[in-house]
Amino acid sequence: MPKNCLVVNLDRCTGCDSCIVSCKFEHDLPLGIFYNRVMQVGPTGTYPNIERYNLPVQCQQCENANCVRVCPTGASYRDPKTGTVQIDKSKCIGCQYCLYACPYGVRSFDEAEGVAKKCTLCQHLTADGSSKPACVHNCPGGARFYGDLDDPDSDVSRELAKYDASCIHMLPEPQNEHPLTRYILSPAYASWKELV
Amino acid sequence: MTTTRTPETADPTNPASLEDRTERAWKTVHRRGSFIHIMRKTLEHCRTQRAFSDMEREMATYPEFRYSDQSQASIIRMLVNAGALECGKDRTLRTTDAGAGAADRMRPSEQLRALFDEDPERQGAYTTIMELCRTPREYPDVEEAMRAFPSFTSHNELSGLPAFPSALLAKLEAAYGLVWDEGWTLTPEGAAFLNERTARTPREGADETEERRTA
Amino acid sequence: MTKTNATRARDAASAQGARKRTAPAQANAASAQGNASAHDAPEQPAYRNLADIADATQAWELSGPAALRDADEAYASSGTDVRMHHTCCHNCYNCCPVWVRTEDGVAVKIEGDLDGTLSKGAICTKCLNQLHLVYSPRHVLHPMKRVGERGTNEWEAISWDEALDLAATQMALAIRKYGPYSIMVGAGGGGTYGNVFQRVTQDALGAPVCISAGGCQCYLPADCAGQWMHGGSNNRHEGNNAREMWNAWHPTMECVVLWGAQTSASGAGYAARANADMRERGVKTIVVDPYLTEEAAKADIWLPVRPMSDIAMLLGWFHYIIANKLYDEQFCKYWTNYPFLIDPDTRLPLKAEEVWPDYVNPAADPNDVYDTPAYVCFDARTNSVQPFPFSLPKDSPVDPVVFCEAEVNGRLCKTGGQIQWEACQEWTLEKTAQVTWVDADTIERAVKLYATTLSGIGTGQFADMSELSSNFIFGTMALDILCGKVDKPGVVLTEQKPASRHTTRPTLFWCDRPYQETFGVGWTVGLTENENLRRSQAAVERLNEQGVDGLAKQRQFVDYQMARLGSDKHKAVHQWQLNELAPVRRALKTGEPYKIAVRWEQSGNKYCVMGHGEEWNEAYATLDYCIHQQPHMTSTTIEDADLFLPLQEWLEFEHGTETVTQFNQTFMRKQIVHLGETADPFIVVTQLVDKVCEKLGGSDKILYRDFQFNGTYRTKEDIYPVWAKLFGVDDWEQAVKHSEDHTLTVPIDELYQFYQYLDIADDGLPAGFATLSRKCEPYVTMAVMNGHTGFPYHFPYEQTGPNGEWLEYDAVCTYKEQSENMLQDDPDYPFYLTTGRIAHYHHSTLRNAPYSRELIPVPDVRLNPRDARELGVAHGDWVELSSRRGRTRGRAYLTEGVRPGVVMMERFYFPESYDKTQKNFSGGWRQCNVNLMARDDVVNPTFASASWRGYRVNVRKAEKPEGIWTEPHEFEPFMPTLHTQDNTQEVFRHA
């Protein structure tokens, strides 16, 4: 099973929110629902000895996803073909267990449709390998990458290969969720903050 | 017709003073340059109660109204909304105390007097323009006449340019000494003001008037 | 409910200083039905099906060369006509190339063009939001005439014929009553709709008053400085300058200074990536900024200056570089005017002939066309004052001393360099540190890195909007020139494209509109006085041949220029045909020096972007008539306009010249949708000027009707041949259907050009620069001449005082602070106010874009947490700011990124304030308007720049203002409704 995921290079991210809005347009999301949010981490320190970075957060594509585990209907599932965590709306009963189970808070509940929603990694664009997720395509910083971590030629692998291990991070996994999403942040710019 | 809400809409539970209401009427009258005299004359006309249609007919005779992009009814409505005019159920109009207060502050005779007093060095030029405009004049005519005068320091202390003829014309227009009626034209109030000044200074005035008659 | 991991993670993030700007997942879920407002919920539009169909079908190709995309089978069977269109965005001036997908003629998706040289597919939120803006219920589709009093929001739709007739009648009336000076134009936009049509409108009418919140306050100073000092480009990061730092093909640059520039915000679509690539290549960045911007956060060295102490910092750099001989002495000697001895009375460089009347200038043009003066220097070889003719350095008869003074005919003269040295002499590292609040070691590290690497200084706009505008731009450009960082690989000050190479002595007219050819007015730098006179005379003769009194027309034109208010004190405003702001406002209030009766506002929302809004509101009420043209109504419309003319959004806007270039690519701008009767702004102004002439009884009744065609056009069909020629196609209309095939691309090796000044010209001399001396002019001679006579704008006339008095403008960077207590205690207004831009909004636009508003609903007031604690203000609390001019509110955003004692707030206004649903109706410009506190009563002497930042304020806790929306669901009324409309033909298409 491939390990399709995002790599976000925070050395390059300028917090412009284009990824948030690209996604909203791509999925025609209502106001108030976001598949992706960009957090400001810091500045930490005391002016002017301060540092900060932006942290876009969307579905982390956990290998050991809590949302899949808790879903009573199997609406939350891992697609064996793409290796990605997806939601089958037709099976979702709107119980919202998955929202509470996700340690990163990346799921939304669409009241109008009564279902849970989240980042799909734009499978409608990426499944045949010809296009990238909207947020990746449009990113002004060139900070977002999509691909298979297991494929050394993928965009994600090539970007990660440019950096020393000390620059590569992932979000904390309180229950061994094994998020696939990787963040690049060079110590020269800022030190990675563990947010839990 | 929608009742337009403006920030100044009075709160009925807290009626404003006459001073505040007059100020509000004044502001509406001065919300648009080209409507100032239309509105002033309307308020004057309606010191006596008038039928709505009467006021519409009257307004249509005003030279300033000729180029108005708003109807008489629209302008009347603005004054009603501002509390300067009262519109009765029978579609009669009457100037309110606030409207009268605003109109009182704009009497042409007083405005002209103040205009002449504020800048004595311009009196000759103002008089010349007003006399010239006993016959309707185009702007270039006034421009030409002003060449006979030395430069006037403008009232705009932030510009070193002298006052242009349009500045003087606009001031006379604002004081209702002149009106644009397909040409700059002396108003009856302007004529009365000129005559009064001539009467007050008979020797000078007579000479000036004589010179102009022969010019 | 016990805290879940999700809640815990968010709380922890907050505790560590992370702030989520977007709404939490569970809250505020929008519900179209639940929050229906005055607007009916739209029928399910075609594009809302997209996501559903996307789930059900395979992916389809979305990018590629062909215009007509094959839909996948499932979609094709639905009968939907799917097309892809190529164009470029126009939500700011950067014009990122994009692909737009339409389905049955409705634009449903915008994505970046991967073939954009720098943008590589990037687009920012502004661009994306065009889908909502073009189909916004706020996008006005028909001309609208006001119903009722100004300050309300009732309008009736009228036809274009009626609208043009109305507007022209009012304008003609004003001209008949008061003369043409009675029309004022409002300019601006920066990136939305450009300034060309605003300027030629004024020229055609002969109406001198044009104002902009930008202009004098934005980019005009850089434009002048680039021309005056470098003969061309300037050091501003925007505007297709400063491109060497992005040279990924032959990377040479080692370090770039971003001085008050947030390129990731001002050039979001491409600069963010280009800068990231640049840093990845190892280019170091030095950022000068009071705030920890994105650029500062990623900088190698950040100089966190006290707000507006930049002149002190500049002088510190000058001092260090000169004292430690880190400048490029050879370049200074032979390629700058620093060694020229300056006449102490005129403050102009001495010409050789003034000192030696019989001197024969070897570089003089025997035809008396091109001007290559000889100056005077102190020659190190002979230890004497000598003539200094122009030549290749190796051929120079002198070895000029750069920093010295010498006696010339009994008068002590300093060199230009000496004058700059004296201005910076006391600015040791210690003094600079003390005044700028940056420690001396950091300053030294920065200036050393800059001075000892291949580097350059790129600037942001911030200083343009302050009294320091001339000091700053002269200083930053002069520093690079001093260090020889000019027109070579690895520097900021470069010229691009083959056209930058010269085979004759380079010349420069101050703009690309033909004032000298048409009216015989203005000086072409690089030509002799006699040649300039000849050209002036030739223009007069051409006018005579047309049956016009040439000299009278010339005089009429010069009078019109000199009638610009404030230009008598600030003579560089003519560069963009602008006026100083305060005198214009005063002119409206007093009716003097001339009566202004009609306002033609061609920009967005003046209340949002300039200071003294309350006073302007009163001033604009004096006007008889106001026309406003924009795609949607703003505070300006509500408060002041009597007539509203609807302009196209960029998805509707077909164009070939203005704002169509990004880096080395120039794009055909294609009309992809068209709604109602929206019009092209270049056409609207032309149609209206035509109509005014008709009303006045002839085109000879205005200054020069046809001059407007140096920029505008009457109909689309009139301009298509011009655009076709520009793009090298036979037929624009056919070609634009496949616009992607016609992008003009300058090959990289042709884009980057170097050492143009060393090319040997046809006079056998090195080409040099398009400046007076043919060299770089860090001693800004043109500024001195401009102060004296308004040079170069009025030649052969002069703009002086009533008795011929000259004004004296600085020619070098001299120390200056903003006027309002920048170094003193100010107990009533203890904070320093600075501002900045964010990527989401451009000037006053996009506040009706719901996807941006739900992210950034109100402007942040960035406060240091220590100050906030003392004020009793928590993150997200409302605060009131006040200055000596006015007060406003904002929402506190606590951040250590701002120095204690400093607050930072961006511009804003609220289009919802005049929504039909509003209980608290207002123009939306008072609630959170930082510019209510700004000032224009003191301005830069040369450029009349007002201060939109750099003043003192007070801060205290306050309540949320009324009539503004902050929660996501509240923006539902801004969601698009017009996508159900059919596309229409453009109104003024046919000639």
Side-chain angles (χ1 to χ4, degrees), chain A residues 7-13 53-55 143 145 155-164 166-170 181-187 189-190 192, chain C residues 280:
Chain A
V7 165
V8 187
N9 189 335
L10 306 180
D11 289 356
R12 304 176 69 100
C13 173
Y53 58 94
N54 304 297
L55 183 66
F145 303 85
D155 287 348
V156 293
S157 299
R158 281 189 280 113
E159 185 68 8
L160 289 169
K162 291 176 184 172
Y163 294 87
D164 184 73
S166 64
C167 302
I168 298 173
H169 312 275
M170 47 187 246
T181 305
R182 293 288 174 271
Y183 294 94
I184 296 168
L185 180 64
S186 302
Y189 290 132
W192 176 259
Chain C
E280 222 174 73

Side-chain angles (χ1 to χ4, degrees), chain C residues 722-768:
Chain C
V722 173
W723 292 346
K725 193 152 170 238
L726 274 170
F727 280 85
V729 301
D730 292 326
D731 182 335
W732 166 275
E733 287 179 85
Q734 285 310 310
V736 76
K737 290 179 184 170
H738 295 268
S739 47
E740 66 280 1
D741 293 336
H742 301 289
T743 297
L744 299 174
T745 304
V746 179
I748 291 297
D749 283 343
E750 285 181 32
L751 181 78
Y752 286 111
Q753 303 271 341
F754 304 108
Y755 302 114
Q756 296 93 324
Y757 63 102
L758 293 176
D759 287 350
I760 302 300
D762 60 10
D763 58 1
L765 294 165

Side-chain angles (χ1 to χ4, degrees), chain C residues 99-173:
Chain C
W99 283 98
V100 180
R101 177 189 172 98
T102 60
E103 292 174 2
D104 290 333
V106 179
V108 299
K109 176 167 173 169
I110 302 174
E111 67 176 16
D113 177 1
L114 296 169
D115 292 331
T117 312
L118 285 185
S119 64
K120 296 181 184 154
I123 48 175
C124 72
T125 60
K126 299 188 286 292
C127 175
L128 288 161
N129 277 311
Q130 173 71 186
L131 286 178
H132 281 178
L133 292 179
V134 73
Y135 293 125
S136 170
R138 293 299 187 95
H139 184 24
V140 180
L141 302 186
H142 306 282
M144 301 295 257
K145 185 178 121 173
R146 182 179 284 282
V147 173
E149 198 180 344
R150 287 174 178 171
T152 63
N153 192 13
E154 301 292 331
W155 305 86
E156 58 167 334
I158 59 175
S159 71
W160 267 105
D161 280 342
E162 200 183 333
L164 287 174
D165 198 79
L166 246 178
T169 299
Q170 298 292 332
M171 287 171 70
L173 177 64

Side-chain angles (χ1 to χ4, degrees), chain C residues 338-582:
Chain C
Y338 267 157
F340 297 172
L341 288 164
I342 308 294
D343 185 319
D345 298 315
T346 66
R347 301 175 59 233
L348 298 170
L350 287 164
K351 300 256 177 87
E353 293 84 353
E354 292 174 61
V355 179
W356 302 276
D358 297 330
Y359 179 73
V360 176
N361 180 357
D365 175 8
N367 298 318
D368 194 20
V369 172
Y370 294 103
D371 189 34
T372 307
Y375 294 89
V376 181
C377 70
F378 189 86
D379 174 28
R381 287 178 203 158
T382 59
N383 262 327
S384 62
V385 173
Q386 292 292 327
F388 186 3
F390 182 85
S391 72
L392 270 170
K394 67 176 177 64
D395 298 331
S396 180
V398 292
D399 176 14
V401 178
V402 177
F403 301 101
C404 73
E405 53 188 18
E407 207 173 273
V408 182
N409 288 351
R411 292 185 307 161
L412 188 65
C413 300
K414 301 175 185 182
T415 59
Q418 180 69 16
I419 293 170
Q420 180 63 80
W421 167 243
E422 289 179 5
C424 71
Q425 209 161 4
E426 13 168 282
W427 290 92
T428 59
L429 278 175
E430 290 65 41
K431 180 177 164 106
T432 307
Q434 188 228 330
V435 173
T436 63
W437 299 358
V438 180
D439 73 279
D441 284 343
T442 311
I443 299 174
E444 186 170 21
R445 269 195 307 124
V447 64
K448 256 179 154 163
L449 179 63
Y450 160 77
T452 58
T453 57
L454 278 169
S455 67
I457 299 173
T459 61
Q461 308 281 37
F462 77 99
D464 284 1
M465 53 184 82
S466 77
E467 301 164 60
L468 314 177
S469 58
S470 61
N471 312 62
F472 181 74
I473 197 69
F474 291 170
T476 50
M477 297 233 355
L479 259 180
D480 270 5
I481 293 170
L482 173 70
C483 295
K485 297 179 189 292
V486 178
D487 289 343
K488 67 182 189 186
V491 303
V492 163
L493 278 177
T494 57
E495 301 286 354
Q496 295 152 36
K497 300 186 189 170
S500 67
R501 307 208 84 90
H502 304 279
T503 51
T504 56
R505 194 265 198 243
T507 61
L508 186 142
F509 190 76
W510 57 273
C511 76
D512 53 23
R513 286 179 298 289
Y515 296 108
Q516 194 169 35
E517 288 88 331
T518 311
F519 301 104
V521 177
W523 176 286
T524 300
V525 171
L527 300 179
T528 61
E529 178 161 4
N530 284 335
E531 179 61 20
N532 274 295
L533 276 169
R534 275 190 288 271
R535 293 187 180 200
S536 175
Q537 189 55 37
V540 169
E541 276 155 25
R542 274 193 292 276
L543 285 166
N544 289 337
E545 280 156 28
Q546 290 167 37
V548 173
D549 181 341
L551 219 52
K553 183 60 67 178
Q554 183 184 70
R555 183 74 240 189
Q556 188 188 10
F557 178 78
V558 172
D559 285 346
Y560 138 77
Q561 288 199 142
M562 295 198 196
R564 292 181 185 136
L565 299 174
S567 70
D568 53 336
K569 294 205 185 68
H570 315 286
K571 300 178 190 178
V573 301
H574 296 295
Q575 181 84 359
W576 284 21
Q577 298 158 263
L578 289 169
N579 293 245
E580 187 190 352
L581 296 173

Side-chain angles (χ1 to χ4, degrees), chain A residues 3 35 58 67 78 92 98 101 142 187 193:
Chain A
K3 288 191 178 147
Y35 287 176
Q58 66 295 313
C67 57
R78 168 163 263 107
C92 177
C98 57
K193 309 292 184 295

Side-chain angles (χ1 to χ4, degrees), chain C residues 289-291 307-308 462 832-836 898 902-906 930 948-951 953:
Chain C
D289 206 303
Y291 179 68
M308 305 311 286
F462 77 99
Y832 293 91
L833 189 286
T834 186
T835 68
V898 131
V902 175
V903 298
M904 187 168 162
M905 181 175 175
E906 61 240 22
V930 66
W948 301 159
R949 64 175 77 203
Y951 51 85
V953 298

